[in-house]
Amino acid sequence: MSALQGIDRGLKFLCEVQLADGEMPSEADVVPGALPEGRSAAHNVFISTFVHDALEPFIQSNAPERERANQVRQGILRFLLDHQEANATWRFLGRGSRMDADADTTSCAAAAVLNRFNRLQLLAGLERFKDRFGLYPSYVDEKGTRYSWILSSGSVVTGHDRVVQANVARFLECAGKSCQPVWDLLEREVTETSLVTGSPDYPSPVTFLFMVARACEAGRRTADPLSAKVKAALRDWLSAPPPVTEAPFSHAIAALSWLKLGGDAALVQGTSAQLASAQLADGGWPAESFFVGGYRSRALTTALATSFLHLSCRTSP
């Protein structure tokens, strides 16, 4: 089967599994408390934002598959706007949940709806999370208390998740407003900390590299020293990755990040063949844990895999 056939089957899969309200379906291993009535733990705003972003290359290239990709993206935009809070923030589990609004979901959703909503209101929504260091803790409650997570014991965890900061940087760059303290943190994390383990919120270590690559692309920083360091880490990962059957999502985001940063397509030719062989009979790809709590989505892996195969076809000699 050719890559183009695989892409077509993948996009058909996305159209078929998209829910009536525009959300992309996902799964979860745990059940967080305080869900809105009628919603299960697997329903969340966050994953749909990444499917929307992954399909962007089809829109930019005006590819034949553009119509299907646009259909999925328009449904997601409708879903995101339906779940926006009055103060222009978003909650991971959707509007009406008792889980506090979070910077991660807010920055990713705001980037998606940027051309459909007031830019200044979106920026003001994200500023609710900003602390005295110029960084963005993950959550803020109605009293304005900022924190990164709450343990099962009820204890509040402070700090700054590095992947969350990368997503914040990306939205700010898309909105034409950079934040140097965030970029400084990303530089330190890439330079000084281990990249072989995940963050508290993201179990796959390659996820951080993917998020930084997205931020660098949005800020036109693909030629910066930070991008060079990310590319070096991606080169190492791509040279000896785990089997694609164990990590289809990680393969897709590593290879996609490499191409986003201008990497040589020859390095990921093998990844193209491996991902193509991992496509299932229904046109989708298997899910892999993406977010803490076992949140994962076949739709997300499929969107990323089809996006990578699309870019790979366009950049291959």
Side-chain angles (χ1 to χ4, degrees):
M1 183 185 302
S2 70
L4 291 177
Q5 289 174 314
I7 292 168
D8 185 63
R9 292 176 60 230
L11 291 174
K12 284 182 180 178
F13 172 83
L14 293 177
C15 291
E16 290 167 0
V17 301
Q18 188 169 29
L19 303 181
D21 64 357
E23 181 185 1
M24 303 309 297
S26 58
E27 308 166 54
D29 291 336
V30 299
V31 181
L35 298 177
E37 184 179 355
R39 293 178 68 80
S40 73
H43 288 264
N44 65 86
V45 173
F46 192 60
I47 282 178
S48 292
T49 69
F50 283 89
V51 175
H52 178 275
D53 174 60
L55 297 178
E56 175 67 20
F58 291 104
I59 309 302
Q60 292 179 340
S61 67
N62 202 28
E65 302 86 0
R66 185 180 190 275
E67 184 175 348
R68 279 204 183 99
N70 189 54
Q71 174 185 331
V72 174
R73 281 165 54 92
Q74 292 303 313
I76 292 172
L77 287 176
R78 184 178 70 251
F79 168 70
L80 295 179
L81 290 170
D82 285 345
H83 281 272
Q84 187 182 39
E85 300 289 332
N87 60 7
T89 63
W90 278 264
R91 302 171 192 256
F92 181 82
L93 294 172
R95 183 166 49 84
S97 68
R98 292 194 297 273
M99 196 173 186
D100 288 326
D102 68 277
D104 216 8
T105 305
T106 294
S107 59
C108 292
V113 306
L114 188 56
N115 293 327
R116 297 276 293 271
F117 197 79
N118 183 278
R119 169 182 166 275
L120 294 179
Q121 286 182 258
L122 293 173
L123 286 167
L126 185 62
E127 285 301 291
R128 288 173 51 82
F129 301 92
K130 191 173 184 179
D131 64 16
R132 62 190 178 89
F133 303 108
L135 300 173
Y136 295 77
S138 297
Y139 296 88
V140 61
D141 63 20
E142 293 182 357
K143 297 179 181 179
T145 302
R146 298 172 179 84
Y147 62 96
S148 287
W149 198 250
I150 297 180
L151 301 178
S152 57
S153 64
S155 301
V156 172
V157 178
T158 59
H160 308 94
D161 187 283
R162 63 189 185 182
V163 181
V164 174
Q165 305 310 301
N167 287 332
V168 167
R170 175 176 177 268
F171 164 65
L172 291 175
E173 293 291 343
C174 288
K177 183 180 178 182
S178 191
C179 182
Q180 194 57 45
V182 172
W183 284 105
D184 291 343
L185 181 143
L186 297 178
E187 179 79 32
R188 289 195 302 272
E189 288 291 324
V190 170
T191 304
E192 301 172 8
T193 64
S194 172
L195 297 177
V196 299
T197 58
S199 74
D201 286 346
Y202 295 88
S204 173
V206 77
T207 303
F208 174 56
L209 301 177
F210 172 61
M211 303 305 192
V212 176
R214 295 193 329 149
C216 288
E217 181 186 42
R220 296 180 175 85
R221 297 171 179 249
T222 55
D224 286 6
L226 175 60
S227 293
K229 294 172 184 175
V230 172
K231 284 180 68 176
L234 286 169
R235 184 184 295 108
D236 291 343
W237 194 93
L238 288 164
S239 298
V244 71
T245 51
E246 296 178 11
F249 170 79
S250 294
H251 274 259
I253 61 175
L256 191 56
S257 302
W258 178 256
L259 294 182
K260 280 179 177 290
L261 295 179
D264 184 0
L267 179 64
V268 292
Q269 283 182 347
T271 305
S272 298
Q274 291 174 330
L275 277 174
S277 69
Q279 190 171 23
L280 302 179
D282 61 5
W285 271 264
E288 178 189 343
S289 184
F290 173 48
F291 192 76
V292 64
Y295 278 92
R296 58 197 180 276
S297 168
R298 290 192 62 206
L300 176 58
T301 306
T302 299
L304 291 162
T306 54
S307 181
F308 163 67
L309 291 174
H310 169 70
L311 288 176
S312 181
C313 288
R314 295 179 63 84
T315 56
S316 296

